[in-house]
Amino acid sequence: MEDKLEENYREELEKLLLAKDYRTLRKKMEDMNVVDIAFAMDEMDDEDSLKLFRILPKDMAADVFAELELDDQQYIIASMSDTEASHIIDNLMADDATDLLEEMPANVVKKILAKASPETRADINHLLRYPEYSAGSIMTVEFIDLREMMTVEDAILKIKRRGLDSETVNICYVVDNQRVLKGTVALRYLLIREPDELIGDIMNTKVISINTHTDQEEAALTIQKYGFTAMPVVDNENRMVGIITVDDVVDILQEEATEDIEKMAAILPSDKPYYKMTTWETYKKRMPWLLFLMISATFTGAIITGYEDALASYVILTAYIPMLMDTGGNAGSQASVSVIRGLSLGEIEFSEIFKVIWKEIRVAVLCGVTLAGANFIKLLVIDKLALPVAFVICATLIVVVIFAKFIGCVLPLVAEKVGFDPAVMASPLITTIVDAVSLTVYFTIAVSVLHINV
């Protein structure tokens, strides 16, 4: 329903733009939410999107711009004069402006910042000092700071003066003269307190904060854990330097989840939407892993070649290779996805590796025995196989499921420990390893049970 409404908005704006009815178009956008306008612009071609942006009321332009996709922002900024671009940058929150300028060519950034206000330049340069993907790089420096000796009346006056330029006024932060974080005060408490009460007497001193160098995903999970709408960011001396708000958290978690899904599907991560990527860009993201997995999969061919005599003696064994490999890959994927999710949410740590292995082994034994039992009946009753051959297939199935779940839970934990992304150790890589092991186990058991000469 919501998607249909947004599509209707886009079609209506495009019709007005095509008819050059700019007065009605401007009036229409004045009554719309900035998010809906940004969605419509993202779906238009670049030239129409730019025209629409230029028609926007000036007081809405920066808010709409902040909601656009990054490549649309870059196109609009590149199409503007330096003065116009600087005006947009000045009206963005510092974290949004920094994210944009980080992706722009250096010569363009230099021109824009040259005409930006000194305060904007200072805020952006401040944020650019922090490592990429750290809490410091995504925080905003626009927040309300109070002093302990302020009265409630003074605090409310300050909020009125600076509220429009702040990311949020729902929570205010109490700092001392060295900007060391002392406490927080919610706006609703200020509204119900007496005007002459001191901030130091009513503030909450049990403050949870994030360090500037904390990884952005860890910061997002911390905010999610405590259910905060905003969280203060401090340096190593506990001096407050910014805040991260819940809208940042949503963006981070979406970005991290997308990145993990892409890695688990053997695709190099990209920050562009699907339809914004060219065919060549999509090819470059997918080809490296496909090439690696194809080469690694040749090991399974080498294993089959090494057991040609076994296959020649019992050709029927060939028919069950896909089932064994697929089951092993699926079992390994189940374990890896569960462990990767646990690592992402902070539910599992490397120190618990033996606890995880013990649980997965028990699950694997139950799954393996169940699958083998069901398969054994099917092999004897439907496929009419000899008992020894059915035994070889089912015994292999149990071993493969146990090994797959072991590998599926261990590899992500080891990857996390040595500093790799656990998502890289997901389905494609685990499946390749399990395939090779499945064939080796299969033919080893077959040779032993069926007394085949290799």
Side-chain angles (χ1 to χ4, degrees):
M1 179 67 180
E2 186 175 347
D3 290 343
K4 184 64 176 176
L5 182 62
E6 290 173 338
E7 188 66 23
N8 290 338
Y9 281 144
R10 182 185 64 79
E11 291 176 357
E12 188 172 353
L13 294 179
E14 282 184 332
K15 286 179 182 178
L16 292 171
L17 191 62
L18 184 63
K20 297 183 179 181
D21 189 355
Y22 301 136
R23 185 188 299 274
T24 305
L25 180 60
R26 183 185 177 91
K27 176 63 178 174
K28 174 67 179 177
M29 289 192 291
E30 285 178 349
D31 297 332
M32 289 176 62
N33 187 285
V34 294
V35 175
D36 293 327
I37 298 174
F39 174 83
M41 290 175 62
D42 284 331
E43 295 299 310
M44 294 179 180
D45 61 47
D46 290 339
E47 290 187 6
D48 286 346
S49 179
L50 180 60
K51 289 179 184 177
L52 204 65
F53 186 78
R54 290 189 179 280
I55 298 170
L56 272 170
K58 296 298 181 184
D59 59 339
M60 296 178 67
D63 292 334
V64 171
F65 186 87
E67 299 294 336
L68 292 173
E69 296 288 349
L70 182 60
D71 55 339
D72 290 321
Q73 290 180 337
Q74 291 175 338
Y75 177 80
I76 289 173
I77 287 291
S79 303
M80 289 181 164
S81 67
D82 295 342
T83 301
E84 289 176 317
S86 299
H87 178 74
I88 292 294
I89 297 296
D90 281 337
N91 285 280
L92 289 175
M93 290 298 172
D95 56 335
D96 293 329
T98 304
D99 289 342
L100 170 65
L101 295 180
E102 279 183 324
E103 303 297 328
M104 301 279 301
N107 61 324
V108 176
V109 173
K110 186 176 181 180
K111 290 180 181 179
I112 293 173
L113 288 182
K115 294 184 177 294
S117 68
E119 293 81 7
T120 298
R121 287 199 301 272
D123 289 343
I124 292 174
N125 289 329
H126 177 72
L127 292 177
L128 288 173
R129 294 184 310 174
Y130 296 105
E132 191 176 12
Y133 305 123
S134 67
S137 70
I138 61 167
M139 70 183 180
T140 182
V141 294
E142 291 100 345
F143 60 91
I144 301 292
D145 60 299
L146 306 174
R147 298 292 188 272
E148 292 181 72
M149 298 309 295
M150 273 186 173
T151 63
V152 169
E153 184 178 15
D154 292 336
I156 292 176
L157 287 174
K158 185 171 185 177
I159 292 171
K160 288 181 178 179
R161 288 197 307 269
R162 292 180 48 188
L164 289 178
D165 297 323
S166 299
E167 183 83 9
T168 179
V169 298
N170 293 332
I171 300 292
C172 303
Y173 301 91
V174 184
V175 297
D176 63 15
N177 292 333
Q178 283 72 46
R179 302 199 62 77
V180 174
L181 183 61
K182 295 295 184 180
T184 61
V185 180
L187 177 61
R188 64 178 182 271
Y189 292 135
L190 293 176
L191 296 177
I192 62 176
R193 293 287 185 170
E194 295 300 323
D196 57 349
E197 287 190 79
L198 296 178
I199 296 299
D201 294 335
I202 65 173
M203 70 179 184
N204 170 34
T205 57
K206 297 178 180 178
V207 185
I208 298 171
S209 59
I210 301 170
N211 187 273
T212 51
H213 287 80
T214 300
D215 181 78
Q216 65 172 15
E217 186 174 11
E218 182 182 341
L221 291 174
T222 302
I223 297 175
Q224 184 184 45
K225 173 183 176 181
Y226 291 102
F228 292 156
T229 56
M231 184 171 280
V233 181
V234 299
D235 62 15
N236 292 333
E237 283 74 43
N238 201 40
R239 291 176 301 198
M240 186 167 177
V241 290
I243 61 172
I244 295 177
T245 53
V246 69
D247 58 321
D248 299 317
V249 171
V250 173
D251 291 339
I252 293 166
L253 294 179
Q254 182 180 20
E255 176 186 320
E256 295 289 344
T258 301
E259 182 178 308
D260 286 348
I261 290 170
E262 289 176 330
K263 287 180 178 178
M264 291 168 70
I267 301 173
L268 296 178
S270 171
D271 56 2
K272 285 187 177 182
Y274 179 79
Y275 285 112
K276 298 291 185 179
M277 290 182 65
T278 65
T279 301
W280 179 249
E281 288 174 326
T282 304
Y283 161 81
K284 289 193 297 182
K285 294 295 182 183
R286 297 181 184 181
M287 195 62 233
W289 265 106
L290 285 176
L291 187 61
F292 169 76
L293 292 172
M294 182 195 71
I295 293 172
S296 61
T298 59
F299 291 113
T300 60
I303 294 171
I304 292 175
T305 302
Y307 286 94
E308 284 181 341
D309 292 339
L311 290 174
S313 301
Y314 284 87
V315 179
I316 191 63
L317 294 175
T318 308
Y320 297 94
I321 290 176
M323 181 273 291
L324 292 170
M325 293 171 64
D326 289 348
T327 302
N330 293 336
S333 297
Q334 287 180 335
S336 68
V337 169
S338 298
V339 171
I340 290 168
R341 179 184 179 278
L343 288 169
S344 299
L345 298 178
E347 298 172 351
I348 300 174
E349 297 179 358
F350 181 79
S351 59
E352 300 171 314
I353 184 169
F354 293 110
K355 183 179 179 181
V356 174
I357 291 173
W358 175 232
K359 179 175 181 178
E360 288 297 331
I361 291 296
R362 285 181 291 168
V363 173
V365 169
L366 292 173
C367 291
V369 170
T370 302
L371 292 171
N375 204 37
F376 190 72
I377 296 171
K378 185 253 185 186
L379 294 174
L380 294 179
V381 176
I382 299 177
D383 296 348
K384 308 294 185 182
L385 294 186
L387 186 61
V389 177
F391 174 80
V392 168
I393 296 170
C394 295
T396 301
L397 194 58
I398 295 173
V399 175
V400 165
V401 170
I402 293 173
F403 176 80
K405 288 196 176 291
F406 172 79
I407 289 294
C409 71
V410 169
L411 280 185
L413 287 166
V414 172
E416 174 84 0
K417 181 63 176 179
V418 300
F420 290 131
D421 192 327
V424 175
M425 302 296 177
S427 302
L429 187 58
I430 290 174
T431 299
T432 301
I433 296 172
V434 171
D435 285 351
V437 173
S438 299
L439 288 173
T440 303
V441 171
Y442 188 32
F443 291 127
T444 301
I445 295 176
V447 168
S448 176
V449 173
L450 302 177
H451 306 293
I452 301 171
N453 293 322
V454 181

